[in-house]
Amino acid sequence: MGLLDGRVILVTASLTSLGREVARAVLREGGCVALSDTAAAPLEAIRRELDPSLARSTASAIDLHEQASCEAVVAQVVDVFGRLDGVAHVAHASSGSTVTAWERSSDVDIEGALRVAKAGGTAMERCGGGRIVMVGTETVSTETGDDGRRGSAPRGAQVAMRSTTHYLSKETGSRSVRIDDLPGDVSPGDDGEGVGSYEGWTDDAGILPDDVIRPVKLSITLHRLADDADVASTVVFFLSDLSTNVSGQTLYAREPIATA
């Protein structure tokens, strides 16, 4: 028995490493997965890799900037499987130091999450309930601006969770669709920078990433940093009945000072 036996889960950003691992985890736990991202052709390749029989998966291009696109993808999933039980919203955008870049990031991180939640939440309510898990960044490091300083994007995943919770409670009256927030990158220090930004800096400095990351690992409780498979397993926990008593909560999947 898998944690997601008989469940149908929509995964956004399935072309990313984390999105692929979430899809893999859903299939491993007995569920069916609807892969979605900006391009259909490469999604089909991932679909065949993860589900060779093609019996427990679909692949669809989705435009998070358009509500109609989100609605169409959800409708296709329900048409194929007869239901939708969960959404794992993995897509989030890194922002730059310009107004346009911040607007683009906000549209994906917040408005895009709300569009998927509206489409998925309505469908899940009709199917008897479901779960929405949002994976985002606690803070997103940005490139150096003209003033030589680095910035960070707002906590888009948490804002999106509050927005979608408000939508589901006020507009649909749904009490059977839960939303949780899962930041995927949390600072190994005090400045809000994720491990990915450390690796980026090492490229510029000509330093091996492990030379920077090794002392970070040694300085934290678990002496290891979570990988995409670890985070995917946490997403599955949120999507499963094991988390029935958890709703509207934030779990820091890569918090380096976490203890077990």
Side-chain angles (χ1 to χ4, degrees):
M1 295 289 291
L3 292 177
L4 300 178
D5 278 351
R7 306 279 175 86
V8 179
I9 309 298
L10 169 65
V11 180
T12 62
S14 298
L15 291 178
T16 65
S17 176
L18 179 55
R20 183 182 308 192
E21 288 304 319
V22 170
R24 191 192 310 275
V26 169
L27 291 169
R28 183 186 68 233
E29 293 298 333
C32 297
V33 65
L35 306 166
S36 67
D37 211 310
T38 55
L43 276 177
E44 282 294 339
I46 293 177
R47 180 190 178 197
R48 292 179 182 279
E49 171 194 337
L50 300 179
D51 180 30
S53 70
L54 305 182
R56 295 166 53 204
S57 63
T58 62
S60 305
I62 190 171
D63 184 356
L64 295 175
H65 301 281
E66 299 292 337
Q67 184 66 45
S69 177
C70 297
E71 300 280 355
V73 169
V74 168
Q76 180 191 26
V77 174
V78 174
D79 183 59
V80 172
F81 296 110
R83 62 183 301 105
L84 178 66
D85 301 287
V87 175
H89 183 59
V90 181
H92 63 278
S94 297
S95 69
S97 56
T98 66
V99 172
T100 300
W102 278 79
E103 289 176 342
R104 184 172 59 249
S105 173
S106 175
D107 192 61
V108 173
D109 292 346
I110 302 174
E111 286 90 343
L114 180 56
R115 293 181 189 109
V116 172
K118 285 183 175 181
T122 301
M124 286 187 285
E125 187 177 26
R126 293 171 181 167
C127 297
R131 296 166 168 84
I132 298 174
V133 180
M134 298 181 178
V135 182
T137 50
E138 177 69 0
T139 57
V140 181
S141 174
T142 65
E143 64 266 24
T144 302
D146 295 336
D147 58 359
R149 300 180 61 185
R150 296 175 64 86
S152 60
R155 301 181 179 188
Q158 292 185 355
V159 175
M161 181 177 72
R162 293 190 184 97
S163 299
T164 50
T165 301
H166 176 79
Y167 166 78
L168 289 172
S169 63
K170 300 297 184 182
E171 296 191 35
T172 69
S174 173
R175 296 184 179 181
S176 58
V177 180
R178 297 171 40 254
I179 300 180
D180 296 294
D181 173 31
L182 183 65
D185 288 301
V186 182
S187 168
D190 297 325
D191 56 0
E193 303 292 351
V195 174
S197 65
Y198 278 86
E199 294 175 334
W201 295 341
T202 60
D203 291 340
D204 295 335
I207 305 172
L208 293 176
D210 198 45
D211 292 338
V212 176
I213 297 175
R214 186 187 301 112
V216 173
K217 291 180 179 179
L218 293 176
S219 68
I220 61 181
T221 306
L222 298 180
H223 289 185
R224 65 182 294 271
L225 297 170
D227 58 23
D228 289 331
D230 293 322
V231 178
S233 294
T234 310
V235 172
V236 165
F237 161 76
F238 269 141
L239 292 169
S240 75
D241 289 339
L242 291 180
S243 66
T244 300
N245 65 322
V246 182
S247 183
Q249 298 299 314
T250 298
L251 177 65
Y252 301 102
R254 294 187 181 179
E255 173 56 69
I257 62 172
T259 58

